[in-house]
Amino acid sequence: MPYVYMRFTFDQRWTCDFTNQFTQQRVRRLRFTDAGKIRKLAQRGKALTDLSSKNNFEHAVRNGGGGVILELSEFQYDKLIGKNHGRIQ
């Protein structure tokens, strides 16, 4: 399972930087207008597993920035970095 650190900040829109946890290299940057999309990414990446992590995440959103570690499947990681692996589109 790949682990990715997602750092998010707000400056007129939400910017998410994804960094490979082992190589420390940024693998992707995404921008959103809605914090709900960041929340969905965190949920899919298993970052919001208990009440404490959910509260910390919501506190970071209210303050305009923070970060979480995402535990992604190989498919999710490949999709994040734009790898296709011969899948039919």
Side-chain angles (χ1 to χ4, degrees):
M1 292 270 168
Y3 291 91
V4 174
Y5 181 70
M6 178 179 75
R7 184 175 68 91
F8 53 94
T9 56
F10 184 80
D11 184 20
Q12 298 180 343
R13 61 184 169 174
W14 289 98
T15 301
C16 295
D17 287 313
F18 298 89
T19 306
N20 183 299
Q21 195 67 2
F22 300 110
T23 65
Q24 303 299 314
Q25 293 180 320
R26 186 172 72 192
V27 295
R28 184 102 187 244
R29 174 177 278 175
L30 297 174
R31 292 184 175 91
F32 303 104
T33 56
D34 180 18
K37 298 206 184 238
I38 298 169
R39 193 173 291 108
K40 285 182 185 178
L41 287 170
Q43 289 170 339
R44 289 179 185 158
K46 302 177 187 170
L48 307 179
T49 57
D50 57 22
L51 185 59
S52 176
S53 62
K54 290 176 186 176
N55 286 339
N56 288 336
F57 179 82
E58 293 302 327
H59 180 73
V61 168
R62 283 192 304 275
N63 287 323
V68 292
I69 295 174
L70 306 177
E71 180 183 336
L72 303 178
S73 69
E74 292 292 333
F75 178 78
Q76 288 171 318
Y77 183 75
D78 289 349
K79 192 171 179 181
L80 177 67
I81 66 171
K83 234 183 216 181
N84 190 354
H85 286 303
R87 289 188 289 268
I88 298 172
Q89 295 186 355

